[in-house]
Amino acid sequence: MNPPRRGTPDFVLLFLTISLVGFGLVMVFSSSYSLTYSDDPLMHTKRQALFAALGVIAMFVLMNTPYATLKKLFIPYFLITVALLVAVLIVGEERNGARSWFGIGPFGGQPTEFAKFGIILYLSAILTKKGERVREFKKGLLPVLTMVGFVTLLILLQPDIGSAAILVLVSGLVIMVGGARFKHLFFLGLAALAAVAVAAAAELLRNEQSYRIKRFTTFLNPWEDPLGYGYQLIQSLYALGHGGITGAGFGRGIQKLHYLPYAHNDFIFAVIGEELGFVGASLFLLVYLIFLWRALLIALRAPDATGMLAGTGIVGLIAIQTVINIGGVIGALPITGVTLPFISYGGSSLAATLMAMGVLLSISRELSKQEKIKSESGVHAADM
């Protein structure tokens, strides 16, 4: 009897992914339809829906691509993202003080979002190839760290400190799971902190009233400058407080009506808290936790080390970005301008995250295939 050609994807994870994307579209609509600088109140919703459709298509293509074929594309994809990071510094558009965008007509794209996914694929492929040599610093870990540092530097040059920090954290996670020594990771952490400190110092030297630096430190005491740098966080806390236990009701939030800047983007969780209340926000976070747990189970049961590292990195990327975003919204962490995966308005972030889910779902199909083969082998052995 011939073994099954392909396994089935994890339909629970697929359902949760589509559900989160759908919920994100609903919340983007609710948080953006009142913006008056556009003649079309559905402009942001339409754009997000377009990127959601493109991302879902990419996810299904990757999900249905054999895992063995996908692994061969990990390094080429990474090299493309590095080339785009270099190109954006030369020909990219500057928005909010950062040269991190490619302008394509009325749309835009951030290569950094794809590079965060790309570094995971690179590390999963290269660490698997190195095997036990990753425990050696000079010949094993140093070349890997050099590449991570180079990509981080390209992002810092934009500058985008938040994305650079996320890339370093995710890289550290994958390298740790890949078998690196703890003492090496400790020094990696020190080097990362030093890089962020140097970037912050350079920004301050360039502009003592830097928007990014002020925004990064305001969470410590937003009421020190309630009408300036602390305004956004204070409005976010007002939104969460107004939501109370059960919320003001879908579409009935007040802070999104030109009080809370970027309500549809970085601070969309504040809109969720205001309109759906503590109960609704808690249920949303519960679904998110179930999604992450399901994804992590697939990553840990991946058919090989490459899949396990890639899957763990993808879960880590989504989890870290979620914690940083929500932490900033509630005032527990610095505000970094990081989107909430699947939910916030942002085509590049949504498309890159859905591509990552396509890889993870392809891994789940390979895992299902191997489990079927083992099951059928056991049945045949019992019949003999």
Side-chain angles (χ1 to χ4, degrees):
M1 185 175 180
N2 295 325
R5 291 187 302 168
R6 296 296 310 277
T8 56
D10 189 285
F11 288 109
V12 173
L13 183 62
L14 178 60
F15 172 76
L16 290 172
T17 300
I18 298 298
S19 298
L20 286 172
V21 172
F23 179 71
L25 286 173
V26 170
M27 293 313 304
V28 166
F29 163 73
S30 178
S31 58
S32 66
Y33 74 87
S34 63
L35 299 178
T36 58
Y37 54 76
S38 170
D39 294 331
D40 183 4
L42 297 178
M43 180 188 73
H44 293 89
T45 305
K46 291 177 180 178
R47 290 185 178 181
Q48 188 76 346
L50 173 61
F51 279 102
L54 294 175
V56 168
I57 291 173
M59 180 182 70
F60 275 98
V61 170
L62 292 172
M63 181 184 74
N64 288 288
T65 301
Y67 174 60
T69 302
L70 276 185
K71 289 195 296 183
K72 298 177 182 178
L73 301 176
F74 282 7
I75 298 298
Y77 174 85
F78 169 71
L79 295 176
I80 292 173
T81 62
V82 172
L84 291 174
L85 287 178
V86 174
V88 79
L89 293 174
I90 301 172
V91 299
E93 293 183 2
E94 185 172 331
R95 300 186 185 183
N96 295 325
R99 189 177 294 276
S100 59
W101 287 79
F102 285 120
I104 307 173
F107 298 96
Q110 289 181 286
T112 300
E113 297 296 335
F114 297 94
K116 288 187 287 188
F117 173 41
I119 197 70
I120 294 172
L121 301 184
Y122 164 77
L123 290 173
S124 63
I126 204 71
L127 291 175
T128 301
K129 184 177 180 180
K130 286 182 176 295
E132 288 297 319
R133 285 184 298 158
V134 73
R135 297 181 63 81
E136 303 175 14
F137 183 78
K138 187 175 182 180
K139 295 183 179 180
L141 191 57
L142 184 57
V144 176
L145 296 183
T146 301
M147 183 57 72
V148 173
F150 176 66
V151 176
T152 303
L153 177 62
L154 291 176
I155 296 175
L156 287 173
L157 288 174
Q158 296 178 4
D160 187 347
I161 298 176
S163 292
I166 290 175
L167 186 140
V168 169
L169 289 173
V170 173
S171 298
L173 173 64
V174 177
I175 291 171
M176 179 182 67
V177 176
R181 292 176 181 268
F182 176 78
K183 65 177 183 180
H184 294 161
L185 294 175
F186 175 76
F187 288 113
L188 170 64
L190 290 181
L193 289 175
V196 172
V198 169
E203 180 67 17
L204 284 175
L205 288 175
R206 187 174 70 90
N207 181 4
E208 292 184 358
Q209 298 300 319
S210 170
Y211 168 77
R212 283 179 295 276
I213 297 299
K214 291 290 185 180
R215 195 171 185 230
F216 191 78
T217 58
T218 294
F219 84 103
L220 296 172
N221 184 12
W223 284 272
E224 182 179 359
D225 188 10
L227 298 178
Y229 292 107
Y231 178 81
Q232 188 175 30
L233 178 55
I234 291 174
Q235 299 305 313
S236 174
L237 296 177
Y238 282 163
L240 294 171
H242 180 229
I245 300 297
T246 58
F250 176 73
R252 301 180 66 180
I254 296 175
Q255 294 305 115
K256 66 186 181 183
L257 302 176
H258 308 287
Y259 295 103
L260 176 61
Y262 298 103
H264 61 302
N265 197 326
D266 306 347
F267 279 75
I268 198 167
F269 184 73
V271 179
I272 294 174
E274 182 177 17
E275 298 189 350
L276 304 183
F278 176 80
V279 174
S282 297
L283 289 175
F284 163 70
L285 292 177
L286 178 61
V287 172
Y288 229 121
L289 287 173
I290 295 173
F291 163 83
L292 291 172
W293 176 248
R294 188 74 181 188
L296 183 60
L297 288 179
I298 293 172
L300 296 178
R301 295 169 57 214
D304 60 11
T306 302
M308 185 269 291
L309 291 174
T312 302
I314 291 169
V315 176
L317 174 61
I318 296 173
I320 290 171
Q321 195 155 315
T322 299
V323 169
I324 291 177
N325 175 272
I326 295 178
V329 169
I330 66 176
L333 293 173
I335 298 172
T336 58
V338 171
T339 57
L340 182 59
F342 300 113
I343 310 299
S344 293
Y345 174 78
S348 300
S349 175
L350 181 58
T353 306
L354 286 171
M355 288 176 63
M357 291 309 303
V359 172
L360 193 56
L361 288 166
S362 178
I363 293 173
S364 76
R365 294 194 69 169
E366 183 66 19
L367 178 63
S368 173
K369 173 186 173 181
Q370 294 194 7
E371 289 178 346
K372 287 180 180 180
I373 293 175
K374 289 180 181 179
S375 176
E376 292 177 0
S377 298
V379 172
H380 294 327
D383 292 338
M384 291 181 63

